[in-house]
């Protein structure tokens, strides 16, 4: 039976391209050398920009937003499925750039020697990195060439007895007749990838210094049997989750278990940033930190949300209307996820949030034309919509959310609250992470929040 990894918003936006000859002019350096040169920074492509292979000039901004919102609903369902299935079972640094794609983010990596370039959705809720490979017994259609392991000098499959294979677990690995490790992963939307578990050289480019940082022997999946909802611009996954086979965990000793990102707003012309190692340490006068909670599955990053505030009115996580009693809060009751656009709250807390906001907002309430959001208003003719501030209270960290992320114009003249109710899995989505420098410290088991203008970061 395959291990259930969560989908990267169900639709991968991945591009596999042969690296151009210009790569030969870029010097290759180790990760330790990179820190002496200020790290490596990579410019990425916005999925909805004309440079993106998935760009559709016929779609409007509102249509792209709606698509990302609906992906959030599907993703939350899949993450819930992953969580419940799992619960039922007993000194270096570098930078790369992230770009918003309607609530999702892409990062380039190069695989092999000579390197092949992959542009993939990056997600803190996925572990195994894989790409479609030759020979392909069953592959979904992709526009770019498949990765060919016979064309690289650093590709090696791993044995069934290796630690790399064992780290997948018995549900997602098996052996072939030659004792090589095979992986099997499936997703909540019935998409899947099966193939050889292998090690390869991964390279991260710097667009500023013309230097590339090399990581040898990174475990990844070379997929020979893949299918599902992947579109033809896609070619795999890059996982930054907390599981053993994620790139973050594989580089944990080297990067000190630290990475951070700063997500720009959806309309920003600046790209976001992701950093690994010492450069990922978050510092500043308005810094707040909250503990990471260890739970199953270890792919997810669990936090403890104690409640939210609307203006001066506080609502506990276990909100009970007209009650002053405070029920105990379960640790690790919400996951922070860069691949989910919206924030999902327990139904009772959401209802309290909606009711409190409604009492505080002066405006004409309207219905969401597509029925997704519960609290919507007509945008005033001057284009200015005013709502009280919302603060998310994590253990030890009070995160004041920006109004441009809590209320978004989803249709012409209609703004809606970007929280939605959930009967089960709560998720702190990426809309509410924008314009925060967010640091993950796996060594000290914490997540840091620092409000900032991410368009001016780095």
């Amino acid at each position: 039976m395959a291990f259930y990894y969560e989908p990267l918003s169900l639709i991968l936006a991945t591009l596999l391209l042969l690296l151009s000859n210009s790569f030969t002019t870029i010097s290759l350096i180790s990760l330790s050398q990179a820190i002496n040169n200020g790290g490596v920074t990579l410019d990425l492509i916005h999925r909805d920009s004309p440079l993106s292979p998935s760009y559709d000039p016929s779609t409007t901004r509102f249509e792209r937003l709606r698509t990302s919102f609906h992906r959030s609903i599907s993703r939350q369902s899949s993450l819930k499925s992953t969580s419940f299935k799992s619960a039922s079972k007993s000194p270096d640094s570098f930078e790369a750039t992230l770009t918003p794609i309607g609530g999702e983010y892409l990062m380039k990596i190069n695989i092999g020697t000579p390197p092949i370039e992959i542009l993939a959705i990056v997600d803190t809720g996925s572990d195994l990195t894989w790409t479609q490979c030759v020979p392909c017994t069953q592959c979904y259609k992709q526009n770019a060439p498949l990765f060919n392991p016979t064309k690289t000098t650093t590709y090696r499959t791993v044995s069934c007895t290796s630690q790399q294979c064992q780290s997948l677990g018995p549900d997602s690995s098996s052996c072939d007749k030659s004792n090589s490790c095979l992986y099997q992963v499936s997703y909540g939307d019935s998409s899947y990838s099966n193939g050889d578990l292998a090690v390869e050289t991964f390279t991260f480019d710097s667009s500023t210094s013309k230097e590339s940082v090399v990581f040898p022997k990174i475990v990844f999946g070379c997929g020979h049997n893949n299918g599902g909802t992947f579109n033809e611009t896609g070619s795999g996954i890059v996982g930054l989750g907390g599981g053993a086979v994620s790139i973050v965990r594989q580089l944990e000793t080297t990067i000190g278990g630290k990475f951070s990102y700063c997500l720009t707003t959806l309309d920003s012309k600046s790209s976001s940033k992701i950093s690994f190692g010492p450069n990922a340490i978050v510092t500043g006068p308005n810094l707040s930190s909250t503990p990471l909670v260890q739970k199953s599955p270890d792919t997810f990053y669990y936090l403890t949300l104690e409640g939210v505030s609307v203006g001066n009115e506080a609502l506990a996580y276990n909100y009970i209307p007209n009650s002053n009693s405070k029920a105990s809060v379960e640790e690790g009751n919400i996951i922070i996820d860069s691949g989910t656009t919206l924030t999902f709250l327990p139904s009772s807390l959401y209802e309290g949030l909606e009711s409190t906001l409604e009492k505080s907002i002066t405006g004409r309430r309207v219905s969401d034309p597509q029925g997704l959001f519960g609290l919507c208003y007509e945008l005033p003719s001057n284009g200015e919509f005013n709502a009280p501030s919302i603060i998310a209270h994590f253990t030890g960290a009070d995160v004041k959310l920006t109004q441009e992320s809590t209320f978004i114009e989803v249709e012409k003249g209609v703004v809606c609250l970007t929280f939605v109710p959930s009967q089960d899995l709560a998720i702190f989505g990426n809309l509410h992470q924008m314009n925060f420098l967010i640091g993950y410290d796996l060594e000290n088991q914490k997540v840091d929040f620092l409000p900032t203008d991410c368009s001016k970061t780095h």
Side-chain angles (χ1 to χ4, degrees):
M1 179 179 177
F3 180 85
Y4 279 77
Y5 288 82
E6 66 288 7
L8 266 64
S9 300
L10 304 178
I11 300 177
L12 296 175
T14 318
L15 177 65
L16 186 65
L17 298 171
L18 288 174
L19 205 61
S20 66
N21 292 334
S22 63
F23 186 86
T24 59
T25 65
I26 301 176
S27 60
L28 299 177
I29 60 175
S30 68
L31 192 56
S32 57
Q33 290 175 297
I35 192 171
N36 295 327
N37 296 338
V40 55
T41 300
L42 181 64
D43 294 325
L44 300 183
I45 300 172
H46 192 294
R47 179 180 181 181
D48 296 324
S49 78
L51 297 177
S52 169
S54 59
Y55 176 68
D56 184 355
S58 67
T59 61
T60 67
R61 177 181 184 273
F62 297 131
E63 289 171 333
R64 291 190 290 270
L65 279 173
R66 285 290 181 178
T67 299
S68 71
F69 296 153
H70 285 290
R71 281 198 299 266
S72 288
I73 302 298
S74 298
R75 177 173 172 79
Q76 193 264 357
S77 178
S78 297
L79 291 174
K80 173 184 65 178
S81 173
T82 303
S83 178
F84 289 170
K85 285 177 183 295
S86 187
S88 67
K89 299 179 182 180
S90 266
D92 308 281
S93 69
F94 65 92
E95 289 182 356
T97 308
L98 295 180
T99 303
I101 50 170
E104 300 158 316
Y105 296 85
L106 299 172
M107 185 176 74
K108 286 181 181 177
I109 59 174
N110 303 296
I111 302 178
T113 308
I116 297 295
E117 187 176 271
I118 292 178
L119 176 62
I121 290 180
V122 174
D123 181 29
T124 50
S126 233
D127 288 332
L128 183 65
T129 295
W130 62 265
T131 188
Q132 294 203 113
C133 285
V134 174
C136 206
T137 57
Q138 169 62 48
C139 279
Y140 59 88
K141 181 182 179 182
Q142 70 175 54
N143 295 332
L146 301 180
F147 180 79
N148 190 341
T150 66
K151 301 296 185 180
T152 167
T153 60
T154 46
Y155 177 88
R156 300 288 185 277
T157 57
V158 300
S159 71
C160 282
T161 57
S162 66
Q163 182 180 356
Q164 296 100 322
C165 187
Q166 299 302 315
S167 66
L168 284 179
D171 291 332
S172 56
S173 64
S174 59
C175 298
D176 65 11
K177 294 180 180 179
S178 61
N179 199 41
S180 292
C181 185
L182 305 177
Y183 77 90
Q184 311 94 36
V185 294
S186 57
Y187 300 84
D189 65 340
S190 299
S191 298
Y192 60 90
S193 177
N194 304 315
D196 296 311
L197 193 68
V199 293
E200 248 302 3
T201 295
F202 280 42
T203 306
F204 292 82
D205 292 346
S206 170
S207 60
T208 55
S209 64
K210 290 190 175 182
E211 292 175 331
S212 297
V213 186
V214 179
F215 302 89
K217 297 181 179 179
I218 296 295
V219 177
F220 82 113
C222 194
H224 303 293
N225 182 6
N226 321 288
T229 62
F230 308 118
N231 63 34
E232 57 192 38
T233 61
S235 180
I237 293 176
V238 172
L240 294 180
V245 296
S246 79
I247 288 180
V248 172
R249 287 297 187 185
Q250 291 187 60
L251 300 177
E252 186 168 6
T253 301
T254 307
I255 66 176
K258 297 176 177 63
F259 73 97
S260 68
Y261 53 71
C262 203
L263 308 181
T264 59
T265 58
L266 295 176
D267 294 326
S268 175
K269 295 181 180 179
S270 301
S271 54
S272 305
K273 305 288 183 182
I274 183 169
S275 301
F276 299 83
N279 283 353
I281 297 175
V282 180
T283 59
N286 297 315
L287 175 72
S288 57
S289 303
T290 188
L292 273 170
V293 179
Q294 294 298 299
K295 292 181 69 175
S296 180
D298 56 7
T299 299
F300 303 152
Y301 295 105
Y302 292 91
L303 309 180
T304 302
L305 180 66
E306 297 181 345
V308 297
S309 290
V310 177
N312 295 322
E313 185 164 350
L315 307 171
Y317 183 87
N318 298 310
Y319 173 76
I320 302 175
N322 304 316
S323 173
N324 294 323
S325 62
K326 291 187 177 181
S328 60
V329 175
E330 177 189 1
E331 289 191 344
N333 55 23
I334 191 169
I335 66 172
I336 181 170
D337 181 43
S338 66
T340 303
T341 306
L342 304 172
T343 289
F344 292 78
L345 296 177
S347 296
S348 60
L349 177 56
Y350 170 81
E351 290 168 4
L353 174 63
E354 180 181 308
S355 175
T356 304
L357 283 167
E358 185 179 19
K359 296 174 184 176
S360 308
I361 296 174
T362 301
R364 180 174 176 266
R365 186 168 177 178
V366 296
S367 297
D368 175 13
Q370 297 192 28
L372 177 61
F373 296 107
L375 186 63
C376 299
Y377 289 88
E378 183 181 89
L379 184 65
S381 57
N382 62 4
E384 296 181 5
F385 176 76
N386 295 313
S389 62
I390 299 176
I391 300 176
H393 299 288
F394 298 97
T395 299
D398 295 330
V399 180
K400 184 177 182 180
L401 309 179
T402 62
Q403 183 173 302
E404 56 263 32
S405 70
T406 56
F407 280 90
I408 286 184
E409 187 178 10
V410 300
E411 296 283 351
K412 184 68 173 177
V414 177
V415 294
C416 294
L417 177 67
T418 53
F419 291 83
V420 289
S422 170
Q423 296 293 338
D424 27 61
L425 183 64
I427 303 175
F428 189 64
N430 63 43
L431 270 181
H432 300 143
Q433 299 175 47
M434 292 175 182
N435 277 340
F436 285 92
L437 180 56
I438 300 179
Y440 294 71
D441 187 340
L442 308 188
E443 189 175 78
N444 295 301
Q445 287 296 294
K446 65 173 184 171
V447 171
D448 299 317
F449 293 90
L450 181 68
T452 187
D453 183 348
C454 289
S455 66
K456 298 180 180 179
T457 301
H458 305 293

Short mmCIF file of all heavy atoms in Angstrom, two decimals, residues 277-306:
data_model
loop_
_atom_site.label_atom_id
_atom_site.label_comp_id
_atom_site.label_asym_id
_atom_site.label_seq_id
_atom_site.Cartn_x
_atom_site.Cartn_y
_atom_site.Cartn_z
N GLY A 277 19.85 27.54 6.17
CA GLY A 277 21.07 27.68 6.94
C GLY A 277 21.09 28.94 7.76
O GLY A 277 20.04 29.50 8.12
N PRO A 278 22.30 29.45 8.12
CA PRO A 278 22.40 30.63 8.99
C PRO A 278 21.65 31.85 8.46
O PRO A 278 21.12 32.64 9.24
CB PRO A 278 23.91 30.89 9.04
CG PRO A 278 24.51 29.54 8.84
CD PRO A 278 23.62 28.84 7.87
N ASN A 279 21.59 32.02 7.14
CA ASN A 279 20.85 33.16 6.59
C ASN A 279 19.36 33.06 6.87
O ASN A 279 18.62 34.03 6.69
CB ASN A 279 21.06 33.26 5.08
CG ASN A 279 22.41 33.85 4.73
OD1 ASN A 279 23.14 34.30 5.60
ND2 ASN A 279 22.76 33.83 3.46
N ALA A 280 18.90 31.89 7.30
CA ALA A 280 17.48 31.69 7.58
C ALA A 280 17.12 32.06 9.02
O ALA A 280 15.95 32.03 9.38
CB ALA A 280 17.10 30.23 7.33
N ILE A 281 18.12 32.42 9.83
CA ILE A 281 17.84 32.83 11.20
C ILE A 281 17.11 34.16 11.18
O ILE A 281 17.57 35.13 10.57
CB ILE A 281 19.14 32.92 12.02
CG1 ILE A 281 19.81 31.54 12.11
CG2 ILE A 281 18.86 33.47 13.42
CD1 ILE A 281 21.16 31.56 12.79
N VAL A 282 15.95 34.21 11.84
CA VAL A 282 15.11 35.40 11.81
C VAL A 282 15.36 36.23 13.07
O VAL A 282 15.26 35.72 14.19
CB VAL A 282 13.62 35.02 11.72
CG1 VAL A 282 12.74 36.26 11.69
CG2 VAL A 282 13.37 34.15 10.49
N THR A 283 15.69 37.49 12.89
CA THR A 283 15.92 38.39 14.02
C THR A 283 15.24 39.73 13.73
O THR A 283 15.06 40.11 12.58
CB THR A 283 17.42 38.62 14.27
OG1 THR A 283 18.01 39.18 13.08
CG2 THR A 283 18.12 37.32 14.63
N GLY A 284 14.90 40.44 14.79
CA GLY A 284 14.28 41.75 14.63
C GLY A 284 13.51 42.15 15.87
O GLY A 284 13.15 41.30 16.69
N PRO A 285 13.23 43.44 16.03
CA PRO A 285 12.58 43.92 17.26
C PRO A 285 11.15 43.42 17.43
O PRO A 285 10.66 43.37 18.56
CB PRO A 285 12.61 45.44 17.09
CG PRO A 285 12.74 45.67 15.60
CD PRO A 285 13.56 44.54 15.10
N ASN A 286 10.47 43.08 16.36
CA ASN A 286 9.09 42.62 16.47
C ASN A 286 8.95 41.12 16.29
O ASN A 286 7.87 40.61 15.95
CB ASN A 286 8.22 43.35 15.43
CG ASN A 286 8.17 44.84 15.67
OD1 ASN A 286 8.01 45.28 16.81
ND2 ASN A 286 8.33 45.62 14.61
N LEU A 287 10.03 40.41 16.52
CA LEU A 287 10.04 38.95 16.35
C LEU A 287 9.20 38.26 17.42
O LEU A 287 9.22 38.64 18.58
CB LEU A 287 11.48 38.43 16.44
CG LEU A 287 11.67 36.91 16.41
CD1 LEU A 287 11.39 36.38 15.01
CD2 LEU A 287 13.09 36.54 16.85
N SER A 288 8.42 37.27 17.01
CA SER A 288 7.72 36.41 17.96
C SER A 288 7.91 34.97 17.52
O SER A 288 8.05 34.69 16.33
CB SER A 288 6.24 36.77 18.04
OG SER A 288 5.63 36.68 16.77
N SER A 289 7.92 34.05 18.47
CA SER A 289 8.21 32.64 18.19
C SER A 289 7.17 31.75 18.83
O SER A 289 6.65 32.05 19.91
CB SER A 289 9.61 32.27 18.72
OG SER A 289 10.61 33.09 18.16
N THR A 290 6.91 30.63 18.18
CA THR A 290 5.97 29.65 18.71
C THR A 290 6.56 28.26 18.53
O THR A 290 7.27 28.00 17.55
CB THR A 290 4.60 29.76 18.00
OG1 THR A 290 3.65 28.92 18.66
CG2 THR A 290 4.69 29.36 16.54
N PRO A 291 6.32 27.35 19.47
CA PRO A 291 6.93 26.01 19.36
C PRO A 291 6.35 25.18 18.23
O PRO A 291 5.16 25.24 17.92
CB PRO A 291 6.59 25.36 20.72
CG PRO A 291 6.23 26.49 21.62
CD PRO A 291 5.62 27.55 20.75
N LEU A 292 7.22 24.40 17.59
CA LEU A 292 6.78 23.34 16.69
C LEU A 292 6.39 22.15 17.55
O LEU A 292 7.08 21.80 18.51
CB LEU A 292 7.91 22.93 15.75
CG LEU A 292 8.08 23.71 14.44
CD1 LEU A 292 9.38 23.30 13.76
CD2 LEU A 292 6.90 23.45 13.50
N VAL A 293 5.29 21.52 17.21
CA VAL A 293 4.80 20.38 17.97
C VAL A 293 4.98 19.11 17.15
O VAL A 293 4.60 19.06 15.98
CB VAL A 293 3.31 20.56 18.33
CG1 VAL A 293 2.79 19.35 19.11
CG2 VAL A 293 3.11 21.84 19.14
N GLN A 294 5.58 18.10 17.75
CA GLN A 294 5.82 16.84 17.06
C GLN A 294 4.56 15.98 17.07
O GLN A 294 4.07 15.60 18.13
CB GLN A 294 6.97 16.09 17.73
CG GLN A 294 8.32 16.78 17.59
CD GLN A 294 8.75 16.92 16.15
OE1 GLN A 294 8.94 15.94 15.43
NE2 GLN A 294 8.91 18.17 15.71
N LYS A 295 4.02 15.71 15.89
CA LYS A 295 2.85 14.86 15.75
C LYS A 295 2.98 14.05 14.47
O LYS A 295 3.90 14.26 13.68
CB LYS A 295 1.56 15.71 15.71
CG LYS A 295 1.23 16.42 17.01
CD LYS A 295 -0.05 17.22 16.92
CE LYS A 295 -1.28 16.34 16.80
NZ LYS A 295 -2.54 17.13 16.84
N SER A 296 2.05 13.14 14.29
CA SER A 296 2.04 12.33 13.08
C SER A 296 0.95 12.83 12.14
O SER A 296 -0.15 13.18 12.59
CB SER A 296 1.77 10.86 13.45
OG SER A 296 1.74 10.04 12.32
N PRO A 297 1.24 12.89 10.82
CA PRO A 297 2.49 12.54 10.15
C PRO A 297 3.56 13.62 10.32
O PRO A 297 3.22 14.80 10.44
CB PRO A 297 2.06 12.41 8.68
CG PRO A 297 0.93 13.35 8.54
CD PRO A 297 0.19 13.30 9.85
N ASP A 298 4.83 13.21 10.30
CA ASP A 298 5.91 14.17 10.55
C ASP A 298 6.16 15.07 9.36
O ASP A 298 6.98 15.99 9.43
CB ASP A 298 7.19 13.44 10.95
CG ASP A 298 7.65 12.40 9.93
OD1 ASP A 298 7.05 12.32 8.84
OD2 ASP A 298 8.62 11.67 10.22
N THR A 299 5.48 14.85 8.25
CA THR A 299 5.57 15.76 7.10
C THR A 299 5.11 17.15 7.47
O THR A 299 5.70 18.15 7.06
CB THR A 299 4.70 15.25 5.93
OG1 THR A 299 5.16 13.98 5.52
CG2 THR A 299 4.73 16.21 4.76
N PHE A 300 4.04 17.26 8.27
CA PHE A 300 3.41 18.55 8.55
C PHE A 300 4.13 19.29 9.66
O PHE A 300 4.71 18.69 10.57
CB PHE A 300 1.94 18.36 8.93
CG PHE A 300 1.12 17.65 7.91
CD1 PHE A 300 0.01 16.91 8.28
CD2 PHE A 300 1.44 17.72 6.56
CE1 PHE A 300 -0.77 16.25 7.34
CE2 PHE A 300 0.67 17.07 5.60
CZ PHE A 300 -0.43 16.33 5.99
N TYR A 301 4.03 20.63 9.60
CA TYR A 301 4.56 21.49 10.65
C TYR A 301 3.40 21.95 11.51
O TYR A 301 2.60 22.79 11.11
CB TYR A 301 5.31 22.67 10.03
CG TYR A 301 6.56 22.24 9.27
CD1 TYR A 301 6.57 22.25 7.88
CD2 TYR A 301 7.69 21.81 9.94
CE1 TYR A 301 7.70 21.85 7.17
CE2 TYR A 301 8.83 21.41 9.25
CZ TYR A 301 8.83 21.43 7.86
OH TYR A 301 9.94 21.02 7.18
N TYR A 302 3.30 21.38 12.71
CA TYR A 302 2.18 21.63 13.62
C TYR A 302 2.50 22.77 14.59
O TYR A 302 3.57 22.81 15.21
CB TYR A 302 1.86 20.39 14.44
CG TYR A 302 1.30 19.23 13.66
CD1 TYR A 302 2.14 18.26 13.12
CD2 TYR A 302 -0.07 19.10 13.45
CE1 TYR A 302 1.63 17.18 12.39
CE2 TYR A 302 -0.60 18.03 12.74
CZ TYR A 302 0.27 17.08 12.21
OH TYR A 302 -0.25 16.02 11.49
N LEU A 303 1.54 23.69 14.73
CA LEU A 303 1.61 24.77 15.71
C LEU A 303 0.40 24.69 16.62
O LEU A 303 -0.53 23.92 16.36
CB LEU A 303 1.64 26.13 15.01
CG LEU A 303 2.67 26.34 13.89
CD1 LEU A 303 2.53 27.75 13.31
CD2 LEU A 303 4.08 26.10 14.40
N THR A 304 0.42 25.48 17.69
CA THR A 304 -0.73 25.54 18.59
C THR A 304 -1.36 26.91 18.51
O THR A 304 -0.76 27.92 18.90
CB THR A 304 -0.30 25.25 20.05
OG1 THR A 304 0.33 23.96 20.11
CG2 THR A 304 -1.51 25.26 20.96
N LEU A 305 -2.58 26.96 17.97
CA LEU A 305 -3.34 28.20 17.89
C LEU A 305 -4.24 28.29 19.12
O LEU A 305 -5.10 27.44 19.34
CB LEU A 305 -4.18 28.23 16.62
CG LEU A 305 -5.03 29.49 16.39
CD1 LEU A 305 -4.13 30.71 16.16
CD2 LEU A 305 -5.98 29.30 15.21
N GLU A 306 -4.03 29.31 19.93
CA GLU A 306 -4.83 29.47 21.15
C GLU A 306 -6.11 30.24 20.91
O GLU A 306 -7.06 30.13 21.69
CB GLU A 306 -3.99 30.16 22.22
CG GLU A 306 -2.77 29.33 22.64
CD GLU A 306 -1.94 30.00 23.72
OE1 GLU A 306 -2.13 31.22 23.95
OE2 GLU A 306 -1.11 29.31 24.33
#
